[in-house]
Short mmCIF file of all heavy atoms in Angstrom, two decimals:
data_model
loop_
_atom_site.label_atom_id
_atom_site.label_comp_id
_atom_site.label_asym_id
_atom_site.label_seq_id
_atom_site.Cartn_x
_atom_site.Cartn_y
_atom_site.Cartn_z
N GLY W 1 0.79 -1.21 0.00
CA GLY W 1 0.00 0.00 0.00
C GLY W 1 0.83 1.27 0.00
O GLY W 1 0.70 2.12 -0.88
N SER W 2 1.72 1.40 0.98
CA SER W 2 2.46 2.65 1.15
C SER W 2 3.70 2.73 0.27
O SER W 2 4.20 3.82 0.00
CB SER W 2 2.85 2.83 2.61
OG SER W 2 3.79 1.83 2.98
N GLY W 3 4.23 1.58 -0.14
CA GLY W 3 5.48 1.58 -0.90
C GLY W 3 6.71 1.74 -0.04
O GLY W 3 7.82 1.90 -0.56
N SER W 4 6.55 1.69 1.28
CA SER W 4 7.71 1.81 2.18
C SER W 4 8.65 0.64 1.96
O SER W 4 8.22 -0.50 1.82
CB SER W 4 7.23 1.83 3.62
OG SER W 4 6.39 2.93 3.84
N THR W 5 9.94 0.93 1.95
CA THR W 5 10.94 -0.08 1.64
C THR W 5 11.97 -0.23 2.75
O THR W 5 12.17 0.67 3.58
CB THR W 5 11.67 0.27 0.33
OG1 THR W 5 12.32 1.54 0.48
CG2 THR W 5 10.72 0.33 -0.84
N TYR W 6 12.63 -1.37 2.72
CA TYR W 6 13.72 -1.65 3.67
C TYR W 6 14.69 -2.59 2.97
O TYR W 6 14.28 -3.50 2.25
CB TYR W 6 13.18 -2.29 4.94
CG TYR W 6 14.23 -2.51 5.99
CD1 TYR W 6 14.60 -1.49 6.85
CD2 TYR W 6 14.87 -3.75 6.10
CE1 TYR W 6 15.59 -1.69 7.80
CE2 TYR W 6 15.85 -3.95 7.05
CZ TYR W 6 16.20 -2.92 7.89
OH TYR W 6 17.18 -3.12 8.82
N TYR W 7 16.00 -2.37 3.22
CA TYR W 7 17.03 -3.15 2.54
C TYR W 7 18.02 -3.76 3.51
O TYR W 7 18.31 -3.20 4.57
CB TYR W 7 17.82 -2.26 1.57
CG TYR W 7 16.99 -1.68 0.45
CD1 TYR W 7 16.35 -0.45 0.60
CD2 TYR W 7 16.83 -2.37 -0.74
CE1 TYR W 7 15.58 0.07 -0.41
CE2 TYR W 7 16.07 -1.84 -1.77
CZ TYR W 7 15.45 -0.63 -1.60
OH TYR W 7 14.69 -0.10 -2.62
N ALA W 8 18.57 -4.89 3.10
CA ALA W 8 19.70 -5.45 3.82
C ALA W 8 20.93 -4.58 3.55
O ALA W 8 21.07 -4.02 2.46
CB ALA W 8 19.96 -6.88 3.36
N ASP W 9 21.81 -4.48 4.52
CA ASP W 9 23.01 -3.66 4.36
C ASP W 9 23.86 -4.10 3.17
O ASP W 9 24.51 -3.28 2.52
CB ASP W 9 23.85 -3.71 5.64
CG ASP W 9 23.21 -2.93 6.78
OD1 ASP W 9 22.33 -2.10 6.52
OD2 ASP W 9 23.60 -3.18 7.94
N SER W 10 23.84 -5.39 2.88
CA SER W 10 24.70 -5.93 1.82
C SER W 10 24.32 -5.43 0.43
O SER W 10 25.14 -5.49 -0.49
CB SER W 10 24.67 -7.46 1.85
OG SER W 10 23.33 -7.92 1.67
N VAL W 11 23.09 -4.93 0.27
CA VAL W 11 22.64 -4.50 -1.05
C VAL W 11 22.22 -3.04 -1.08
O VAL W 11 21.90 -2.50 -2.16
CB VAL W 11 21.48 -5.37 -1.57
CG1 VAL W 11 21.87 -6.84 -1.58
CG2 VAL W 11 20.21 -5.15 -0.75
N LYS W 12 22.22 -2.39 0.06
CA LYS W 12 21.77 -1.00 0.12
C LYS W 12 22.60 -0.13 -0.80
O LYS W 12 23.83 -0.21 -0.81
CB LYS W 12 21.87 -0.51 1.57
CG LYS W 12 21.04 0.71 1.88
CD LYS W 12 21.10 1.02 3.38
CE LYS W 12 20.46 -0.05 4.20
NZ LYS W 12 20.48 0.27 5.65
N GLY W 13 21.94 0.67 -1.60
CA GLY W 13 22.62 1.54 -2.54
C GLY W 13 22.85 0.91 -3.90
O GLY W 13 23.17 1.61 -4.87
N ARG W 14 22.70 -0.41 -4.01
CA ARG W 14 22.89 -1.10 -5.30
C ARG W 14 21.59 -1.70 -5.82
O ARG W 14 21.37 -1.75 -7.02
CB ARG W 14 23.94 -2.20 -5.16
CG ARG W 14 25.31 -1.72 -4.75
CD ARG W 14 26.34 -2.85 -4.84
NE ARG W 14 26.01 -3.97 -3.97
CZ ARG W 14 25.83 -5.22 -4.40
NH1 ARG W 14 25.92 -5.51 -5.68
NH2 ARG W 14 25.56 -6.18 -3.53
N PHE W 15 20.75 -2.19 -4.92
CA PHE W 15 19.49 -2.81 -5.30
C PHE W 15 18.33 -1.87 -4.95
O PHE W 15 18.39 -1.15 -3.94
CB PHE W 15 19.28 -4.13 -4.54
CG PHE W 15 20.21 -5.24 -4.92
CD1 PHE W 15 21.37 -5.03 -5.64
CD2 PHE W 15 19.91 -6.54 -4.54
CE1 PHE W 15 22.22 -6.06 -5.98
CE2 PHE W 15 20.75 -7.60 -4.86
CZ PHE W 15 21.91 -7.36 -5.58
N THR W 16 17.29 -1.93 -5.77
CA THR W 16 16.09 -1.13 -5.51
C THR W 16 14.86 -1.98 -5.69
O THR W 16 14.69 -2.62 -6.74
CB THR W 16 16.01 0.07 -6.47
OG1 THR W 16 17.18 0.88 -6.34
CG2 THR W 16 14.79 0.93 -6.15
N ILE W 17 14.01 -2.01 -4.67
CA ILE W 17 12.74 -2.72 -4.76
C ILE W 17 11.65 -1.69 -5.05
O ILE W 17 11.66 -0.58 -4.51
CB ILE W 17 12.44 -3.51 -3.47
CG1 ILE W 17 11.21 -4.39 -3.64
CG2 ILE W 17 12.31 -2.59 -2.26
CD1 ILE W 17 10.99 -5.37 -2.46
N SER W 18 10.72 -2.07 -5.91
CA SER W 18 9.61 -1.19 -6.24
C SER W 18 8.40 -2.05 -6.60
O SER W 18 8.52 -3.26 -6.75
CB SER W 18 9.97 -0.26 -7.41
OG SER W 18 10.24 -1.01 -8.58
N ARG W 19 7.25 -1.39 -6.71
CA ARG W 19 6.07 -2.14 -7.11
C ARG W 19 5.21 -1.30 -8.03
O ARG W 19 5.22 -0.07 -7.97
CB ARG W 19 5.27 -2.64 -5.89
CG ARG W 19 4.16 -1.71 -5.36
CD ARG W 19 4.68 -0.64 -4.51
NE ARG W 19 3.63 0.08 -3.80
CZ ARG W 19 3.43 1.37 -3.96
NH1 ARG W 19 4.15 2.07 -4.84
NH2 ARG W 19 2.51 1.99 -3.24
N ASP W 20 4.46 -2.00 -8.88
CA ASP W 20 3.49 -1.38 -9.77
C ASP W 20 2.14 -1.97 -9.40
O ASP W 20 1.84 -3.11 -9.74
CB ASP W 20 3.85 -1.68 -11.23
CG ASP W 20 2.93 -0.96 -12.20
OD1 ASP W 20 1.75 -0.73 -11.88
OD2 ASP W 20 3.39 -0.66 -13.32
N ASN W 21 1.35 -1.18 -8.68
CA ASN W 21 0.07 -1.70 -8.19
C ASN W 21 -0.86 -2.07 -9.33
O ASN W 21 -1.60 -3.05 -9.24
CB ASN W 21 -0.59 -0.67 -7.28
CG ASN W 21 0.12 -0.56 -5.94
OD1 ASN W 21 0.94 -1.40 -5.59
ND2 ASN W 21 -0.18 0.49 -5.20
N ALA W 22 -0.84 -1.32 -10.40
CA ALA W 22 -1.74 -1.59 -11.53
C ALA W 22 -1.42 -2.94 -12.17
O ALA W 22 -2.32 -3.63 -12.66
CB ALA W 22 -1.65 -0.48 -12.56
N LYS W 23 -0.14 -3.29 -12.16
CA LYS W 23 0.28 -4.56 -12.78
C LYS W 23 0.44 -5.68 -11.74
O LYS W 23 0.79 -6.80 -12.11
CB LYS W 23 1.61 -4.37 -13.52
CG LYS W 23 1.52 -3.43 -14.70
CD LYS W 23 2.86 -3.34 -15.41
CE LYS W 23 2.76 -2.43 -16.62
NZ LYS W 23 4.06 -2.32 -17.34
N ASN W 24 0.22 -5.37 -10.47
CA ASN W 24 0.40 -6.36 -9.40
C ASN W 24 1.77 -7.01 -9.50
O ASN W 24 1.90 -8.25 -9.39
CB ASN W 24 -0.68 -7.43 -9.49
CG ASN W 24 -1.74 -7.26 -8.41
OD1 ASN W 24 -1.83 -6.21 -7.79
ND2 ASN W 24 -2.53 -8.28 -8.19
N THR W 25 2.77 -6.20 -9.71
CA THR W 25 4.12 -6.70 -9.92
C THR W 25 5.11 -5.96 -9.03
O THR W 25 5.01 -4.74 -8.86
CB THR W 25 4.53 -6.55 -11.39
OG1 THR W 25 3.61 -7.29 -12.21
CG2 THR W 25 5.94 -7.06 -11.63
N VAL W 26 6.02 -6.73 -8.48
CA VAL W 26 7.11 -6.18 -7.67
C VAL W 26 8.40 -6.39 -8.45
O VAL W 26 8.59 -7.43 -9.09
CB VAL W 26 7.18 -6.87 -6.30
CG1 VAL W 26 8.38 -6.37 -5.50
CG2 VAL W 26 5.90 -6.63 -5.52
N TYR W 27 9.29 -5.41 -8.36
CA TYR W 27 10.54 -5.47 -9.10
C TYR W 27 11.74 -5.41 -8.16
O TYR W 27 11.65 -4.86 -7.05
CB TYR W 27 10.64 -4.29 -10.08
CG TYR W 27 9.50 -4.22 -11.06
CD1 TYR W 27 8.43 -3.37 -10.84
CD2 TYR W 27 9.50 -5.01 -12.21
CE1 TYR W 27 7.37 -3.29 -11.73
CE2 TYR W 27 8.45 -4.95 -13.11
CZ TYR W 27 7.40 -4.09 -12.86
OH TYR W 27 6.35 -4.03 -13.76
N LEU W 28 12.83 -5.97 -8.61
CA LEU W 28 14.11 -5.79 -7.92
C LEU W 28 15.13 -5.37 -8.96
O LEU W 28 15.52 -6.17 -9.82
CB LEU W 28 14.56 -7.08 -7.22
CG LEU W 28 15.83 -6.93 -6.39
CD1 LEU W 28 15.55 -6.06 -5.15
CD2 LEU W 28 16.37 -8.29 -5.97
N GLN W 29 15.51 -4.11 -8.93
CA GLN W 29 16.54 -3.60 -9.83
C GLN W 29 17.89 -3.85 -9.20
O GLN W 29 18.15 -3.41 -8.07
CB GLN W 29 16.33 -2.10 -10.06
CG GLN W 29 17.39 -1.46 -10.95
CD GLN W 29 17.27 -1.90 -12.40
OE1 GLN W 29 16.17 -2.08 -12.92
NE2 GLN W 29 18.43 -2.10 -13.05
N ILE W 30 18.74 -4.56 -9.93
CA ILE W 30 20.08 -4.91 -9.44
C ILE W 30 21.09 -4.10 -10.24
O ILE W 30 21.26 -4.33 -11.44
CB ILE W 30 20.34 -6.41 -9.58
CG1 ILE W 30 19.31 -7.21 -8.78
CG2 ILE W 30 21.75 -6.75 -9.13
CD1 ILE W 30 19.41 -8.71 -8.97
N ASN W 31 21.77 -3.19 -9.59
CA ASN W 31 22.81 -2.39 -10.23
C ASN W 31 24.16 -2.76 -9.64
O ASN W 31 24.27 -3.13 -8.47
CB ASN W 31 22.54 -0.90 -10.05
CG ASN W 31 21.31 -0.44 -10.79
OD1 ASN W 31 20.93 -0.99 -11.82
ND2 ASN W 31 20.66 0.59 -10.27
N SER W 32 25.18 -2.63 -10.46
CA SER W 32 26.56 -2.93 -10.03
C SER W 32 26.64 -4.27 -9.30
O SER W 32 27.19 -4.35 -8.19
CB SER W 32 27.09 -1.80 -9.14
OG SER W 32 27.08 -0.57 -9.82
N PRO W 33 26.12 -5.33 -9.90
CA PRO W 33 26.20 -6.62 -9.22
C PRO W 33 27.65 -7.09 -9.11
O PRO W 33 28.52 -6.73 -9.92
CB PRO W 33 25.37 -7.55 -10.12
CG PRO W 33 25.46 -6.94 -11.47
CD PRO W 33 25.48 -5.46 -11.24
N GLU W 34 27.86 -7.93 -8.11
CA GLU W 34 29.17 -8.52 -7.83
C GLU W 34 29.03 -10.04 -7.90
O GLU W 34 27.93 -10.57 -7.74
CB GLU W 34 29.65 -8.08 -6.45
CG GLU W 34 29.72 -6.57 -6.29
CD GLU W 34 29.78 -6.14 -4.84
OE1 GLU W 34 29.63 -7.01 -3.94
OE2 GLU W 34 29.97 -4.93 -4.58
N PRO W 35 30.13 -10.74 -8.15
CA PRO W 35 30.04 -12.21 -8.19
C PRO W 35 29.40 -12.80 -6.94
O PRO W 35 28.72 -13.83 -7.01
CB PRO W 35 31.50 -12.65 -8.33
CG PRO W 35 32.13 -11.52 -9.08
CD PRO W 35 31.47 -10.27 -8.55
N GLU W 36 29.56 -12.12 -5.81
CA GLU W 36 28.98 -12.60 -4.55
C GLU W 36 27.46 -12.51 -4.55
O GLU W 36 26.79 -13.06 -3.67
CB GLU W 36 29.52 -11.79 -3.37
CG GLU W 36 31.01 -11.98 -3.10
CD GLU W 36 31.91 -11.31 -4.13
OE1 GLU W 36 31.47 -10.32 -4.76
OE2 GLU W 36 33.05 -11.77 -4.32
N ASP W 37 26.87 -11.81 -5.53
CA ASP W 37 25.42 -11.72 -5.63
C ASP W 37 24.82 -12.91 -6.37
O ASP W 37 23.59 -13.01 -6.50
CB ASP W 37 25.02 -10.43 -6.36
CG ASP W 37 25.38 -9.17 -5.58
OD1 ASP W 37 25.20 -9.16 -4.35
OD2 ASP W 37 25.86 -8.20 -6.21
N THR W 38 25.65 -13.80 -6.86
CA THR W 38 25.16 -14.99 -7.56
C THR W 38 24.35 -15.85 -6.61
O THR W 38 24.83 -16.23 -5.54
CB THR W 38 26.34 -15.79 -8.14
OG1 THR W 38 26.99 -15.01 -9.15
CG2 THR W 38 25.86 -17.10 -8.73
N ALA W 39 23.11 -16.15 -7.01
CA ALA W 39 22.21 -16.92 -6.15
C ALA W 39 20.90 -17.16 -6.90
O ALA W 39 20.67 -16.58 -7.97
CB ALA W 39 21.93 -16.18 -4.85
N VAL W 40 20.05 -17.98 -6.32
CA VAL W 40 18.66 -18.06 -6.75
C VAL W 40 17.90 -17.00 -5.97
O VAL W 40 17.99 -16.95 -4.73
CB VAL W 40 18.07 -19.46 -6.51
CG1 VAL W 40 16.59 -19.48 -6.91
CG2 VAL W 40 18.85 -20.51 -7.27
#
């Protein structure tokens, strides 16, 4: 509803979570990824 966000320290400043209410979709924008970000 509010769009309030919270991040883990390990990704703060590089990852961005957002949502599109009309599309019922949540996004995770990953910028400047590092090999340590490899995961499912």
Side-chain angles (χ1 to χ4, degrees):
S2 66
S4 300
T5 60
Y6 184 84
Y7 297 90
D9 288 342
S10 59
V11 304
K12 199 174 294 182
R14 299 188 299 122
F15 291 16
T16 302
I17 188 171
S18 62
R19 91 279 191 241
D20 184 329
N21 288 347
K23 295 182 178 180
N24 255 15
T25 300
V26 176
Y27 303 98
L28 185 69
Q29 178 70 38
I30 300 174
N31 293 331
S32 301
E34 303 163 353
E36 294 73 25
D37 294 319
T38 294
V40 177

